Structure formats: structure tokens, C-alpha cells
Amino acid sequence: MALASASCFAALKPPGVDHHIASIVPICSEKFLGSARDCGYLTGSQSSRRLWESRNPASRIQTSHSPQILGYYTCNDRVHYCKPLENPALSTGFDCFVVESLQNLLVSHCRNIGGGGARKLIARAAGSMMQQGQNNDAILLVGVTGGTGRSAVNGLLASGIESSRLRFLTRSPEGAAARNLAGIGAQAIAGDLDDANSLSEVMKGVRAIYCHATSKDGAQADPAGEVRAERLVKAADSAGVEHIVYNSSGGAGHGISQVEQKFNIEKIFRDSGIRTTNLRATMFMEEFWKVYTRPQILKGSFPFSMPSDKPLQLLSVKDMGLAAGIALKDPEEYGGVSLELAGDELTPAQMCEAYSKAQNSSVSHFSPPKFLFWFLNRDLYRIAKFLSEEGYEANIADCRRRFPGLLTFSEFLELTHWGDTSRTYADGFKY
């Protein structure tokens, strides 16, 4: 037995419509119900139904057995409603459940959803309704108070997401980094990924999460990063968060500890049942701004351990935020998607041409032997080996189609004022 989707309309409460119809909550989840976008069933009064249909003549609720049953599901701030089963209580053909009252969220029937899936969904819906003011549209930003995180926030804003929807997790709401982000209109929320108790309050009113990082950048992965991800997703699941977009990384399977950890965190998020989008970054352009790279380039030498003619895929952190914002606005399109992300591809020789133009002085590439890194840092050695012999695999044309406005490397150098020697990475970027 199948359900046929009718039309969709904005989930706005028409004046006078009672609580049964007006409270739009995420009762159904494609993650739990499989590939078919089936409906949950909610009871509502005849008068509610007639009033709703009178205000939405092109979107009538179809019933074939009980006029009290209203079938619909929600996604991406739209309501799609479908023809209900003739007798939901006898359903065996697909997953379904019935909620008797939106006000009380009492389960009257639950069948064919294994592992307590229906209970999780209904708990998630209940959590949504109990949020402060029933405003459940905030986006929580995790790991954005550092340099690259702040650049990602610039990209989120460039995607069209309003700053008033953004909350960022911080241990120090009064610190300089927090004040900087608050200056763009985002709200600082005191919380700590190392303190599970602090996260339940943080999640109130949160619909989606952008997770930039669960630990600081380092020469090797921080083991605490995965533990923090588990705390984060547990709190998110309990609060009814619907979507997580994660700043992951390309290049897994080569023993690079930071990359392997990001793939482990992808699994932690995915196994939670929350719809997750993994944006797998290629080489961040911002890496070349850092103190161990940029000063030498400004002096005319680009030391980078890979062949001069080997293409390197690149991405601006700002564009990680841009892509994340677009994904957050369209969870139906991007939920469950893992995508390697790049905005440009150049050889080190071509990068030198771009540097030379940006700083108005000649730059040449020098490739240090990879074996030297073996003695300095094994992860650096593995990164150099990966970039020299294999490299990232992003489909740049597809990335540009999905996320219009991705920066080329030359555009990045121009927008960040590469040639201005008075500016440093610590100052942050003003695109």
C-alpha cells in the first residue's frame, strides 16, 4: 500500500486554526522510514480540517476512511501531506505511527519501526514543541571561535542565513573571540563539549548544527575530539535536532590521524540517526597564510613538498561555511550526503604565478624531500605522500554548480589582501 504525495505549502499558522493543525512538528523522518517518504498520522477536529482547507483550497487533506485523521510529514520548513491509509491500525505495508494529540503527543499505534525508531521520532517531536516559544529554528555553531571557524561563519552569512538564527558554543562568552562573533549578530551560548550537563541547555530551540571542529588544530588528532562528538550528538538527539552539517576532510585511508578521526566522527553523527551532511574539505587555502608558510612566500620561496606539476585541489574556509549554509537550508537535498569539496585546482607552479601577481614580486616553488618529514612528524609525512602520489578527488564542476560563488585561489589571495605584509593570520580575514 503506497502513499501519494499531494502538494506542499509554507508551514504558517492561518489565523483561527486550532492547535491540532497549526503545530507543525517533524513527526516523520526519512532516516527511520527508509527511502519512501511516508506519513505519520495526527488526529484533528473536523472544524480544524474544514478551516484549514478553506484557507488552502489547492491543498486539501485527503482521507479515505476516517475524516479525523490528517496525514502529513514536514521537511525543510514545508509541509507535505499525503492520502492516509484506509485503516492505519492494520498497516503492515510500511512504517507508520499515530499520535492522538499534538498537545500531549500520546502514541496510540506504532508498528514496523525497529529499534524504538518511532519512540525516538515522537520524543524528538515532543522536544521540538517544548522549545522556548516553540521557536525551533536556531542553528548552533560548534568550534567556530578560532581563526578558521570565524571564516566559516562569514560563509554561512554569505549563503543567506540570517545572523539572528546563529548561536555559537563557547566556554568564554565574554572573551574576545566571542565578542567578535557577537558583533555580527550571532548569540554566544555558554557551554563546553567536555561537560555533558551544559549541553542540554545549549540545545534548546536548536533545529540544526554546524560542527566545524571538536578539537583545536594540532600536529596530530586529539583523542578527546571523538568523545566530544559523542557528547554533542547525544545532547542533540535528546533535544530533537534535525540536521548536522560537519566540516570533515577528504583523504581518508592514508593513516593521517586528523583525517581518520574526522571519518570516525562522521560515523558517530551518522549512527545517531540525525540527518547528517559531511562536507569533506580538500586543502584549505588559509593554510598558506599561516606563520610557517606565508613569510617565506612573501620573500619569494614557496616550500611545498609535492611535484611542481602535480595538481592540488583547494578550498577557502569561507566557502566551507557557504556550502554548509546552503546544505542547512536544504536538508532534503543534502541530508545523508557526503561530498568532497573544492573550489579550485592548481599545480604548485601555478600557485606561484598567483602569489607573484598578488604580492607583486616573483615567487618560485621548492619541493623539500618528503623523507625529512618522517623525522619531524609522521602525519606531515603522510600528508606530503598523499598529496604527491594521489591527491583529492573532488568534482569541482559539480561543487561550483551546487555552491555558486566558490572562490578561486587568485580571488582568495585578492580578497584576503595577501600582499599586505602588515596583516597576519592572527588578525583573521575580512573578505
Side-chain angles (χ1 to χ4, degrees), residues 143-158:
V144 299
T145 55
T148 60
R150 292 197 299 273
S151 295
V153 175
N154 288 329
L156 285 165
L157 296 174

Side-chain angles (χ1 to χ4, degrees), residues 339-352:
L339 181 69
E340 199 154 310
L341 192 60
D344 205 354
E345 182 177 74
L346 298 90
T347 66
Q350 291 170 324
M351 292 173 70
C352 285

Side-chain angles (χ1 to χ4, degrees), residues 274-315:
I274 299 175
R275 187 171 4 199
T276 301
T277 304
N278 299 305
L279 297 176
R280 296 172 176 166
T282 50
M283 177 69 74
F284 278 139
M285 298 176 186
E286 282 79 356
E287 287 296 316
F288 302 108
W289 257 87
K290 293 185 177 179
V291 68
Y292 49 77
T293 306
R294 183 169 176 253
Q296 295 179 72
I297 299 172
L298 291 173
K299 292 176 182 179
S301 177
F302 177 35
F304 198 65
S305 187
M306 62 181 292
S308 293
D309 60 352
K310 171 72 174 177
L312 173 67
Q313 293 188 335
L314 298 161
L315 176 71

Side-chain angles (χ1 to χ4, degrees), residues 41 45 64 91 133 167 172 184 200 229-230 265 272 299 313 362:
Y41 291 86
S45 68
S64 58
S91 167
R167 303 177 183 178
S172 305
I184 65 171
S200 59
E230 289 172 349
I265 291 173
S272 73
K299 292 176 182 179
Q313 293 188 335
S362 178

Side-chain angles (χ1 to χ4, degrees), residues 108-389:
S108 68
H109 175 69
C110 190
R111 178 170 298 196
N112 295 338
I113 302 182
R119 290 189 295 278
K120 279 183 97 171
L121 289 171
I122 293 167
R124 187 165 294 167
S128 298
M129 291 186 63
M130 291 188 293
Q131 300 298 349
Q132 187 175 10
Q134 296 191 20
N135 180 5
N136 203 41
D137 203 34
I139 297 171
L140 179 67
L141 311 180
V142 177
V144 299
T145 55
T148 60
R150 292 197 299 273
S151 295
V153 175
N154 288 329
L156 285 165
L157 296 174
S159 76
I161 290 179
E162 296 178 359
S163 61
S164 60
R165 292 180 60 194
L166 300 180
R167 303 177 183 178
F168 61 94
L169 185 70
T170 176
R171 294 177 181 177
S172 305
E174 303 304 321
R179 291 198 304 272
N180 183 291
L181 285 170
I184 65 171
Q187 180 186 2
I189 301 292
D192 187 346
L193 292 180
D194 291 325
D195 178 6
N197 292 331
S198 73
L199 297 179
S200 59
E201 189 70 20
V202 164
M203 294 293 170
K204 289 184 177 179
V206 171
R207 180 186 65 81
I209 294 172
Y210 169 65
C211 181
H212 188 71
T214 57
S215 58
K216 293 182 179 180
D217 289 341
Q220 292 181 319
D222 179 357
E226 290 164 72
V227 178
R228 291 168 183 154
E230 289 172 349
R231 291 193 192 102
L232 175 67
V233 81
K234 183 176 180 180
D237 189 41
S238 296
V241 171
E242 300 172 24
H243 189 196
I244 296 174
V245 176
Y246 179 49
N247 164 36
S248 189
S249 176
H254 298 276
I256 304 166
S257 67
Q258 303 95 322
V259 177
E260 302 307 327
Q261 183 177 74
K262 283 186 173 289
F263 268 62
N264 291 340
I265 291 173
E266 284 188 16
K267 185 176 186 303
I268 290 169
F269 290 161
R270 182 174 62 250
D271 288 351
S272 73
I274 299 175
R275 187 171 4 199
T276 301
T277 304
N278 299 305
L279 297 176
R280 296 172 176 166
T282 50
M283 177 69 74
F284 278 139
M285 298 176 186
E286 282 79 356
E287 287 296 316
F288 302 108
W289 257 87
K290 293 185 177 179
V291 68
Y292 49 77
T293 306
R294 183 169 176 253
Q296 295 179 72
I297 299 172
L298 291 173
K299 292 176 182 179
S301 177
F302 177 35
F304 198 65
S305 187
M306 62 181 292
S308 293
D309 60 352
K310 171 72 174 177
L312 173 67
Q313 293 188 335
L314 298 161
L315 176 71
S316 162
V317 179
K318 176 176 180 284
D319 287 341
M320 170 58 74
L322 173 71
I326 291 171
L328 286 164
K329 291 193 296 183
D330 195 354
E332 286 298 295
E333 173 72 18
Y334 288 100
V337 170
S338 295
L339 181 69
E340 199 154 310
L341 192 60
D344 205 354
E345 182 177 74
L346 298 90
T347 66
Q350 291 170 324
M351 292 173 70
C352 285
E353 294 176 10
Y355 288 133
S356 299
K357 182 178 180 180
Q359 65 189 53
N360 199 28
S361 62
S362 178
V363 178
S364 59
H365 175 234
F366 165 65
S367 180
K370 288 188 289 296
F371 75 84
L372 295 176
F373 295 107
W374 180 262
F375 302 101
L376 296 173
N377 181 287
R378 299 295 166 85
D379 271 342
L380 286 178
Y381 170 79
R382 294 182 183 107
I383 290 170
K385 188 176 188 324
F386 164 70
L387 293 177
S388 297
E389 299 177 3

Side-chain angles (χ1 to χ4, degrees), residues 8-11 24 73-80 329-330 332:
C8 64
F9 49 89
I24 305 303
Y73 71 97
T74 67
C75 64
N76 196 25
D77 299 327
R78 297 190 299 272
V79 177
H80 302 244
K329 291 193 296 183
D330 195 354
E332 286 298 295

